[in-house]
C-alpha cells in the first residue's frame, strides 16, 4: 500500500475539513465554544490495530461509536474515546453531571448522537469533495478493549487498512481526547487515494 507524504497531507486535509464542520455543528447544538485540533494521521494494517499503544488512543478501555459506510470505497468509521473523556463530553453537552463513572441509557443515546454528527461530518465532507456517494448505517455504541472491538466488531477485515485520525476536543478549557478510526475494506483505501489524486491533479 503506497501512502506517501503527499497522500497523507491530502487525506489529513480532507478529514480536517470534516472535523471543522463537526465542531461547527456541535457549537450550534450546544451553544458552547467547541474546537477540534488538526488530526494526526497514522496508517496501519488492520492486524496491528489491537496492538496500538494506548498512548495513541489514550486508554486500553474505550467508549466507541461506530457506523458502516458503503459506496465506491467502503468500511467502518469509529469515534473512540477513553471512558472518562466520553463521560465528560456527554456531561458537557447535556448540561448534567453523572453520579457514576458509567453511562446510563440517556447518556449512551447522547454519545451515539455525537458520534453520528462527527462521523457524518467527516465522511460527508470526504464524499462531497471527491463527488462520491456514500450510504451509512445507524450508529452503534459499545465499550471495551481495542483488541475485543477489533475481534468482535471488525471480523473478516484482517487484510484491510486502518487510518487513525487522532484529534483533540477543546471544550470550555477541558481537553477531551478523541480518535477517529477509518477501517477500509480490501481495495477501498486504494480507491479512496485514487479519488484524492484525481481531485488534486
Amino acid at each position: 500500500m503506497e501512502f506517501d507524504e503527499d497522500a497523507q497531507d491530502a487525506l489529513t486535509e480532507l478529514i480536517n475539513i470534516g472535523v471543522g464542520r463537526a465542531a461547527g455543528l456541535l457549537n450550534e447544538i450546544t451553544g458552547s465554544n467547541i474546537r477540534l485540533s488538526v488530526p494526526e494521521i497514522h496508517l496501519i494494517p488492520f492486524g496491528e490495530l489491537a496492538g496500538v499503544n494506548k498512548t495513541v488512543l489514550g486508554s486500553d478501555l474505550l467508549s466507541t461509536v461506530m457506523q458502516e459506510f458503503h459506496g465506491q470505497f467502503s468500511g467502518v468509521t469509529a469515534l473512540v474515546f477513553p471512558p472518562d473523556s466520553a463521560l465528560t463530553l456527554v456531561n458537557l453537552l447535556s448540561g448534567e453531571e453523572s453520579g457514576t463513572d458509567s453511562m446510563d441509557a440517556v447518556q449512551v443515546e447522547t454519545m451515539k448522537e455525537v458520534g453520528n454528527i462527527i462521523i457524518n461530518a467527516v465522511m460527508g465532507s470526504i464524499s462531497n469533495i471527491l463527488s462520491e456517494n456514500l450510504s451509512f448505517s445507524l450508529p452503534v455504541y459499545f465499550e471495551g478493549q481495542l483488541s475485543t472491538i477489533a475481534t468482535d466488531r471488525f471480523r473478516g477485515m484482517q487484510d484491510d487498512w486502518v487510518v487513525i485520525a487522532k484529534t483533540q476536543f477543546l471544550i470550555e478549557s477541558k481537553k477531551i481526547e478523541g480518535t477517529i478510526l477509518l477501517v477500509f475494506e480490501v481495495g477501498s483505501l486504494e480507491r479512496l487515494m485514487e479519488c484524492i489524486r484525481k481531485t488534486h491533479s
Side-chain angles (χ1 to χ4, degrees):
M1 172 69 204
E2 184 181 345
F3 195 68
D4 57 23
E5 189 175 339
D6 289 343
Q8 180 169 323
D9 288 346
L11 185 55
T12 300
E13 181 185 343
L14 272 181
I15 294 175
N16 191 46
I17 291 170
V19 164
R21 196 172 144 214
L25 290 170
L26 291 175
N27 283 339
E28 289 179 19
I29 292 170
T30 64
S32 300
N33 182 23
I34 300 175
R35 292 183 293 122
L36 286 82
S37 63
V38 176
E40 300 171 16
I41 303 294
H42 306 270
L43 177 69
I44 62 171
F46 180 86
E48 296 178 13
L49 179 60
V52 171
N53 193 296
K54 71 177 182 180
T55 56
V56 175
L57 295 175
S59 176
D60 283 328
L61 187 66
L62 300 167
S63 296
T64 303
V65 178
M66 182 187 77
Q67 284 184 273
E68 295 180 13
F69 59 91
H70 300 278
Q72 177 67 15
F73 38 88
S74 301
V76 174
T77 305
L79 182 64
V80 179
F81 293 96
D84 56 344
S85 282
L87 195 58
T88 300
L89 178 60
V90 167
N91 287 341
L92 283 170
L93 294 175
S94 65
E96 298 178 0
E97 288 295 328
S98 175
T100 67
D101 292 332
S102 59
M103 291 192 192
D104 59 27
V106 174
Q107 289 170 320
V108 166
E109 287 304 312
T110 301
M111 192 66 198
K112 284 164 65 176
E113 185 57 32
V114 170
N116 187 54
I117 290 169
I118 294 173
I119 290 171
N120 277 279
V122 171
M123 297 307 297
S125 291
I126 290 174
S127 63
N128 288 339
I129 292 170
L130 301 180
S131 299
E132 297 289 343
N133 292 323
L134 297 176
S135 59
F136 301 91
S137 67
L138 293 174
V140 177
Y141 175 82
F142 52 92
E143 296 178 354
Q145 294 184 345
L146 190 58
S147 56
T148 304
I149 294 170
T151 302
D152 294 347
R153 301 291 173 173
F154 302 138
R155 194 183 302 278
M157 303 182 81
Q158 298 298 323
D159 297 325
D160 302 341
W161 288 88
V162 181
V163 174
I164 298 177
K166 184 177 182 181
T167 190
Q168 193 174 56
F169 291 70
L170 303 175
I171 307 172
E172 297 178 4
S173 301
K174 296 180 183 289
K175 292 184 178 180
I176 300 174
E177 289 287 345
T179 302
I180 298 168
L181 302 180
L182 303 179
V183 184
F184 292 91
E185 293 178 359
V186 172
S188 281
L189 184 55
E190 287 89 343
R191 288 193 291 273
L192 171 63
M193 299 315 300
E194 207 173 290
C195 290
I196 289 174
R197 281 190 287 270
K198 286 180 182 176
T199 303
H200 284 72
S201 61

